[in-house]
mmCIF file of all heavy atoms in Angstrom:
data_model
loop_
_atom_site.group_PDB
_atom_site.id
_atom_site.type_symbol
_atom_site.label_atom_id
_atom_site.label_comp_id
_atom_site.label_asym_id
_atom_site.label_seq_id
_atom_site.Cartn_x
_atom_site.Cartn_y
_atom_site.Cartn_z
ATOM 1 N N PRO A 1 63.362 -5.645 32.378
ATOM 2 C CA PRO A 1 63.398 -5.630 33.846
ATOM 3 C C PRO A 1 62.035 -5.312 34.462
ATOM 4 O O PRO A 1 61.686 -5.854 35.504
ATOM 5 C CB PRO A 1 64.422 -4.531 34.160
ATOM 6 C CG PRO A 1 65.237 -4.384 32.936
ATOM 7 C CD PRO A 1 64.339 -4.709 31.789
ATOM 8 N N VAL A 2 61.280 -4.437 33.810
ATOM 9 C CA VAL A 2 59.948 -4.095 34.322
ATOM 10 C C VAL A 2 59.049 -5.318 34.305
ATOM 11 O O VAL A 2 58.330 -5.609 35.280
ATOM 12 C CB VAL A 2 59.340 -2.953 33.489
ATOM 13 C CG1 VAL A 2 57.912 -2.658 33.949
ATOM 14 C CG2 VAL A 2 60.198 -1.697 33.581
ATOM 15 N N ALA A 3 59.071 -6.070 33.202
ATOM 16 C CA ALA A 3 58.255 -7.275 33.105
ATOM 17 C C ALA A 3 58.721 -8.338 34.095
ATOM 18 O O ALA A 3 57.901 -9.059 34.674
ATOM 19 C CB ALA A 3 58.294 -7.821 31.686
ATOM 20 N N ALA A 4 60.037 -8.439 34.306
ATOM 21 C CA ALA A 4 60.559 -9.427 35.256
ATOM 22 C C ALA A 4 60.065 -9.124 36.668
ATOM 23 O O ALA A 4 59.696 -10.042 37.422
ATOM 24 C CB ALA A 4 62.082 -9.435 35.209
ATOM 25 N N ARG A 5 60.049 -7.848 37.056
ATOM 26 C CA ARG A 5 59.555 -7.490 38.387
ATOM 27 C C ARG A 5 58.057 -7.772 38.515
ATOM 28 O O ARG A 5 57.578 -8.190 39.584
ATOM 29 C CB ARG A 5 59.854 -6.018 38.674
ATOM 30 C CG ARG A 5 61.333 -5.743 38.924
ATOM 31 C CD ARG A 5 61.541 -4.359 39.511
ATOM 32 N NE ARG A 5 61.196 -3.306 38.565
ATOM 33 C CZ ARG A 5 62.053 -2.751 37.712
ATOM 34 N NH1 ARG A 5 63.313 -3.179 37.683
ATOM 35 N NH2 ARG A 5 61.665 -1.785 36.904
ATOM 36 N N ALA A 6 57.320 -7.557 37.420
ATOM 37 C CA ALA A 6 55.886 -7.841 37.446
ATOM 38 C C ALA A 6 55.634 -9.338 37.596
ATOM 39 O O ALA A 6 54.711 -9.754 38.314
ATOM 40 C CB ALA A 6 55.223 -7.309 36.179
ATOM 41 N N LEU A 7 56.449 -10.154 36.958
ATOM 42 C CA LEU A 7 56.304 -11.610 37.104
ATOM 43 C C LEU A 7 56.638 -12.047 38.528
ATOM 44 O O LEU A 7 55.953 -12.887 39.111
ATOM 45 C CB LEU A 7 57.217 -12.326 36.106
ATOM 46 C CG LEU A 7 56.790 -12.302 34.635
ATOM 47 C CD1 LEU A 7 57.881 -12.909 33.758
ATOM 48 C CD2 LEU A 7 55.481 -13.069 34.434
ATOM 49 N N GLU A 8 57.703 -11.462 39.071
ATOM 50 C CA GLU A 8 58.120 -11.852 40.426
ATOM 51 C C GLU A 8 57.068 -11.488 41.467
ATOM 52 O O GLU A 8 56.982 -12.124 42.534
ATOM 53 C CB GLU A 8 59.454 -11.195 40.763
ATOM 54 C CG GLU A 8 60.134 -11.772 41.987
ATOM 55 C CD GLU A 8 61.555 -11.278 42.128
ATOM 56 O OE1 GLU A 8 61.844 -10.157 41.658
ATOM 57 O OE2 GLU A 8 62.389 -12.013 42.694
ATOM 58 N N ALA A 9 56.247 -10.474 41.186
ATOM 59 C CA ALA A 9 55.216 -10.050 42.140
ATOM 60 C C ALA A 9 53.997 -10.969 42.134
ATOM 61 O O ALA A 9 53.136 -10.850 43.019
ATOM 62 C CB ALA A 9 54.779 -8.623 41.819
ATOM 63 N N ARG A 10 53.925 -11.894 41.197
ATOM 64 C CA ARG A 10 52.769 -12.785 41.123
ATOM 65 C C ARG A 10 52.837 -13.846 42.231
ATOM 66 O O ARG A 10 53.931 -14.320 42.594
ATOM 67 C CB ARG A 10 52.713 -13.470 39.756
ATOM 68 C CG ARG A 10 52.372 -12.527 38.609
ATOM 69 C CD ARG A 10 52.419 -13.271 37.280
ATOM 70 N NE ARG A 10 51.512 -14.409 37.267
ATOM 71 C CZ ARG A 10 50.223 -14.364 36.956
ATOM 72 N NH1 ARG A 10 49.680 -13.181 36.631
ATOM 73 N NH2 ARG A 10 49.477 -15.443 36.968
ATOM 74 N N SER A 11 51.677 -14.240 42.690
ATOM 75 C CA SER A 11 51.610 -15.231 43.769
ATOM 76 C C SER A 11 52.017 -16.626 43.304
ATOM 77 O O SER A 11 52.453 -17.454 44.119
ATOM 78 C CB SER A 11 50.199 -15.284 44.345
ATOM 79 O OG SER A 11 49.252 -15.631 43.334
ATOM 80 N N ASP A 12 51.902 -16.904 41.992
ATOM 81 C CA ASP A 12 52.263 -18.231 41.491
ATOM 82 C C ASP A 12 53.719 -18.318 41.054
ATOM 83 O O ASP A 12 54.141 -19.325 40.482
ATOM 84 C CB ASP A 12 51.337 -18.651 40.345
ATOM 85 C CG ASP A 12 51.332 -17.642 39.204
ATOM 86 O OD1 ASP A 12 51.913 -16.551 39.374
ATOM 87 O OD2 ASP A 12 50.750 -17.945 38.138
ATOM 88 N N VAL A 13 54.500 -17.259 41.311
ATOM 89 C CA VAL A 13 55.925 -17.237 40.954
ATOM 90 C C VAL A 13 56.746 -17.124 42.228
ATOM 91 O O VAL A 13 56.527 -16.235 43.056
ATOM 92 C CB VAL A 13 56.236 -16.062 40.003
ATOM 93 C CG1 VAL A 13 57.742 -15.938 39.786
ATOM 94 C CG2 VAL A 13 55.524 -16.255 38.677
ATOM 95 N N ALA A 14 57.702 -18.041 42.395
ATOM 96 C CA ALA A 14 58.554 -18.033 43.584
ATOM 97 C C ALA A 14 59.714 -17.057 43.435
ATOM 98 O O ALA A 14 60.062 -16.338 44.376
ATOM 99 C CB ALA A 14 59.070 -19.442 43.865
ATOM 100 N N SER A 15 60.367 -17.026 42.245
ATOM 101 C CA SER A 15 61.516 -16.137 42.049
ATOM 102 C C SER A 15 61.753 -15.911 40.564
ATOM 103 O O SER A 15 61.359 -16.728 39.722
ATOM 104 C CB SER A 15 62.776 -16.723 42.695
ATOM 105 O OG SER A 15 63.160 -17.922 42.029
ATOM 106 N N VAL A 16 62.407 -14.803 40.266
ATOM 107 C CA VAL A 16 62.827 -14.473 38.904
ATOM 108 C C VAL A 16 64.275 -14.007 38.983
ATOM 109 O O VAL A 16 64.574 -13.004 39.639
ATOM 110 C CB VAL A 16 61.942 -13.377 38.276
ATOM 111 C CG1 VAL A 16 62.451 -13.031 36.881
ATOM 112 C CG2 VAL A 16 60.489 -13.815 38.221
ATOM 113 N N GLU A 17 65.171 -14.714 38.318
ATOM 114 C CA GLU A 17 66.598 -14.396 38.355
ATOM 115 C C GLU A 17 67.171 -14.404 36.948
ATOM 116 O O GLU A 17 66.646 -15.106 36.072
ATOM 117 C CB GLU A 17 67.354 -15.427 39.213
ATOM 118 C CG GLU A 17 66.899 -15.478 40.667
ATOM 119 C CD GLU A 17 67.595 -16.601 41.425
ATOM 120 O OE1 GLU A 17 68.175 -17.474 40.751
ATOM 121 O OE2 GLU A 17 67.549 -16.594 42.663
ATOM 122 N N PRO A 18 68.242 -13.647 36.701
ATOM 123 C CA PRO A 18 68.878 -13.706 35.376
ATOM 124 C C PRO A 18 69.331 -15.130 35.060
ATOM 125 O O PRO A 18 69.855 -15.835 35.922
ATOM 126 C CB PRO A 18 70.069 -12.764 35.518
ATOM 127 C CG PRO A 18 69.699 -11.841 36.634
ATOM 128 C CD PRO A 18 68.885 -12.659 37.588
ATOM 129 N N SER A 19 69.108 -15.549 33.829
ATOM 130 C CA SER A 19 69.559 -16.860 33.376
ATOM 131 C C SER A 19 70.948 -16.700 32.777
ATOM 132 O O SER A 19 71.114 -16.123 31.695
ATOM 133 C CB SER A 19 68.585 -17.421 32.337
ATOM 134 O OG SER A 19 69.011 -18.673 31.860
ATOM 135 N N ILE A 20 71.961 -17.182 33.486
ATOM 136 C CA ILE A 20 73.358 -16.937 33.112
ATOM 137 C C ILE A 20 73.991 -18.223 32.580
ATOM 138 O O ILE A 20 73.904 -19.280 33.213
ATOM 139 C CB ILE A 20 74.157 -16.425 34.326
ATOM 140 C CG1 ILE A 20 73.506 -15.145 34.874
ATOM 141 C CG2 ILE A 20 75.604 -16.163 33.945
ATOM 142 C CD1 ILE A 20 74.115 -14.673 36.181
ATOM 143 N N LEU A 21 74.623 -18.108 31.416
ATOM 144 C CA LEU A 21 75.334 -19.248 30.841
ATOM 145 C C LEU A 21 76.567 -19.562 31.678
ATOM 146 O O LEU A 21 77.200 -18.662 32.236
ATOM 147 C CB LEU A 21 75.766 -18.941 29.404
ATOM 148 C CG LEU A 21 74.665 -18.677 28.379
ATOM 149 C CD1 LEU A 21 75.287 -18.212 27.065
ATOM 150 C CD2 LEU A 21 73.810 -19.910 28.159
ATOM 151 N N THR A 22 76.913 -20.833 31.758
ATOM 152 C CA THR A 22 78.157 -21.188 32.435
ATOM 153 C C THR A 22 79.340 -20.687 31.621
ATOM 154 O O THR A 22 79.278 -20.592 30.382
ATOM 155 C CB THR A 22 78.265 -22.704 32.617
ATOM 156 O OG1 THR A 22 78.218 -23.341 31.330
ATOM 157 C CG2 THR A 22 77.122 -23.226 33.478
ATOM 158 N N ALA A 23 80.414 -20.341 32.289
ATOM 159 C CA ALA A 23 81.563 -19.705 31.632
ATOM 160 C C ALA A 23 82.216 -20.608 30.594
ATOM 161 O O ALA A 23 82.867 -20.119 29.665
ATOM 162 C CB ALA A 23 82.582 -19.280 32.682
ATOM 163 N N GLU A 24 82.042 -21.917 30.712
ATOM 164 C CA GLU A 24 82.706 -22.849 29.804
ATOM 165 C C GLU A 24 82.033 -22.932 28.441
ATOM 166 O O GLU A 24 82.657 -23.360 27.459
ATOM 167 C CB GLU A 24 82.751 -24.254 30.417
ATOM 168 C CG GLU A 24 83.614 -24.367 31.673
ATOM 169 C CD GLU A 24 82.932 -23.766 32.898
ATOM 170 O OE1 GLU A 24 81.678 -23.636 32.875
ATOM 171 O OE2 GLU A 24 83.642 -23.393 33.854
ATOM 172 N N LEU A 25 80.774 -22.535 28.350
ATOM 173 C CA LEU A 25 80.049 -22.634 27.077
ATOM 174 C C LEU A 25 80.609 -21.634 26.070
ATOM 175 O O LEU A 25 80.965 -20.509 26.416
ATOM 176 C CB LEU A 25 78.561 -22.379 27.284
ATOM 177 C CG LEU A 25 77.778 -23.480 28.012
ATOM 178 C CD1 LEU A 25 76.321 -23.063 28.180
ATOM 179 C CD2 LEU A 25 77.861 -24.800 27.242
ATOM 180 N N ARG A 26 80.669 -22.055 24.806
ATOM 181 C CA ARG A 26 81.180 -21.192 23.754
ATOM 182 C C ARG A 26 80.290 -21.298 22.522
ATOM 183 O O ARG A 26 79.807 -22.371 22.180
ATOM 184 C CB ARG A 26 82.630 -21.584 23.366
ATOM 185 C CG ARG A 26 83.666 -21.216 24.426
ATOM 186 C CD ARG A 26 83.859 -19.709 24.477
ATOM 187 N NE ARG A 26 84.864 -19.291 25.434
ATOM 188 C CZ ARG A 26 84.631 -19.016 26.704
ATOM 189 N NH1 ARG A 26 83.399 -19.118 27.175
ATOM 190 N NH2 ARG A 26 85.593 -18.625 27.508
ATOM 191 N N ASP A 27 80.073 -20.158 21.863
ATOM 192 C CA ASP A 27 79.329 -20.140 20.613
ATOM 193 C C ASP A 27 80.135 -20.882 19.546
ATOM 194 O O ASP A 27 81.337 -20.646 19.396
ATOM 195 C CB ASP A 27 79.080 -18.692 20.185
ATOM 196 C CG ASP A 27 78.526 -18.591 18.793
ATOM 197 O OD1 ASP A 27 77.302 -18.786 18.631
ATOM 198 O OD2 ASP A 27 79.314 -18.346 17.862
ATOM 199 N N PRO A 28 79.509 -21.785 18.770
ATOM 200 C CA PRO A 28 80.275 -22.574 17.801
ATOM 201 C C PRO A 28 80.848 -21.765 16.650
ATOM 202 O O PRO A 28 81.862 -22.150 16.072
ATOM 203 C CB PRO A 28 79.248 -23.601 17.294
ATOM 204 C CG PRO A 28 77.910 -22.987 17.564
ATOM 205 C CD PRO A 28 78.086 -22.178 18.806
ATOM 206 N N THR A 29 80.221 -20.636 16.293
ATOM 207 C CA THR A 29 80.701 -19.844 15.158
ATOM 208 C C THR A 29 81.863 -18.943 15.544
ATOM 209 O O THR A 29 82.881 -18.887 14.850
ATOM 210 C CB THR A 29 79.566 -18.986 14.575
ATOM 211 O OG1 THR A 29 78.488 -19.832 14.164
ATOM 212 C CG2 THR A 29 80.054 -18.174 13.385
ATOM 213 N N PHE A 30 81.747 -18.247 16.668
ATOM 214 C CA PHE A 30 82.757 -17.251 17.050
ATOM 215 C C PHE A 30 83.587 -17.671 18.263
ATOM 216 O O PHE A 30 84.554 -16.985 18.607
ATOM 217 C CB PHE A 30 82.074 -15.912 17.351
ATOM 218 C CG PHE A 30 81.334 -15.333 16.184
ATOM 219 C CD1 PHE A 30 79.964 -15.500 16.056
ATOM 220 C CD2 PHE A 30 82.011 -14.628 15.201
ATOM 221 C CE1 PHE A 30 79.273 -14.961 14.984
ATOM 222 C CE2 PHE A 30 81.325 -14.084 14.122
ATOM 223 C CZ PHE A 30 79.956 -14.260 14.006
ATOM 224 N N GLY A 31 83.194 -18.756 18.942
ATOM 225 C CA GLY A 31 83.941 -19.182 20.120
ATOM 226 C C GLY A 31 83.816 -18.233 21.284
ATOM 227 O O GLY A 31 84.750 -18.101 22.086
ATOM 228 N N ALA A 32 82.670 -17.553 21.407
ATOM 229 C CA ALA A 32 82.480 -16.556 22.449
ATOM 230 C C ALA A 32 81.353 -16.967 23.383
ATOM 231 O O ALA A 32 80.525 -17.818 23.061
ATOM 232 C CB ALA A 32 82.165 -15.198 21.829
ATOM 233 N N ASN A 33 81.341 -16.345 24.553
ATOM 234 C CA ASN A 33 80.265 -16.516 25.516
ATOM 235 C C ASN A 33 79.722 -15.125 25.830
ATOM 236 O O ASN A 33 80.413 -14.318 26.452
ATOM 237 C CB ASN A 33 80.769 -17.198 26.786
ATOM 238 C CG ASN A 33 79.657 -17.510 27.773
ATOM 239 O OD1 ASN A 33 78.756 -16.720 27.981
ATOM 240 N ND2 ASN A 33 79.741 -18.676 28.406
ATOM 241 N N PRO A 34 78.488 -14.794 25.409
ATOM 242 C CA PRO A 34 77.998 -13.419 25.558
ATOM 243 C C PRO A 34 77.763 -12.983 26.998
ATOM 244 O O PRO A 34 77.676 -11.782 27.270
ATOM 245 C CB PRO A 34 76.681 -13.424 24.777
ATOM 246 C CG PRO A 34 76.244 -14.862 24.806
ATOM 247 C CD PRO A 34 77.504 -15.668 24.763
ATOM 248 N N ASP A 35 77.662 -13.934 27.934
ATOM 249 C CA ASP A 35 77.437 -13.580 29.345
ATOM 250 C C ASP A 35 78.732 -13.359 30.107
ATOM 251 O O ASP A 35 78.704 -12.923 31.264
ATOM 252 C CB ASP A 35 76.626 -14.675 30.047
ATOM 253 C CG ASP A 35 75.198 -14.738 29.552
ATOM 254 O OD1 ASP A 35 74.797 -13.845 28.786
ATOM 255 O OD2 ASP A 35 74.475 -15.684 29.914
ATOM 256 N N HIS A 36 79.862 -13.658 29.464
ATOM 257 C CA HIS A 36 81.171 -13.535 30.132
ATOM 258 C C HIS A 36 82.183 -12.981 29.123
ATOM 259 O O HIS A 36 82.711 -13.711 28.286
ATOM 260 C CB HIS A 36 81.648 -14.889 30.658
ATOM 261 C CG HIS A 36 80.661 -15.564 31.550
ATOM 262 N ND1 HIS A 36 80.567 -15.307 32.899
ATOM 263 C CD2 HIS A 36 79.712 -16.503 31.281
ATOM 264 C CE1 HIS A 36 79.609 -16.051 33.437
ATOM 265 N NE2 HIS A 36 79.074 -16.786 32.477
ATOM 266 N N VAL A 37 82.442 -11.687 29.193
ATOM 267 C CA VAL A 37 83.448 -11.040 28.346
ATOM 268 C C VAL A 37 84.506 -10.454 29.263
ATOM 269 O O VAL A 37 84.218 -9.581 30.089
ATOM 270 C CB VAL A 37 82.824 -9.942 27.469
ATOM 271 C CG1 VAL A 37 83.900 -9.241 26.647
ATOM 272 C CG2 VAL A 37 81.746 -10.521 26.552
ATOM 273 N N ALA A 38 85.721 -10.951 29.143
ATOM 274 C CA ALA A 38 86.805 -10.478 29.992
ATOM 275 C C ALA A 38 87.073 -8.995 29.737
ATOM 276 O O ALA A 38 86.837 -8.495 28.627
ATOM 277 C CB ALA A 38 88.069 -11.294 29.728
#
């Protein structure tokens, strides 16, 4: 998070946001989505 805020403060960067997987995606080995756990 500290590095993300430092990047966002740069003049050549417009925004920094978490990169979130869509809920439909599933890991092929375990069938899970690490960004969405009920």
Side-chain angles (χ1 to χ4, degrees):
V2 176
R5 288 193 293 269
L7 286 173
E8 194 169 28
R10 291 177 58 86
S11 59
D12 56 351
V13 173
S15 66
V16 178
E17 299 175 345
S19 179
I20 302 172
L21 297 173
T22 59
E24 294 76 21
L25 289 178
R26 288 289 182 271
D27 170 81
T29 302
F30 299 98
N33 185 319
D35 291 352
H36 306 275
V37 177

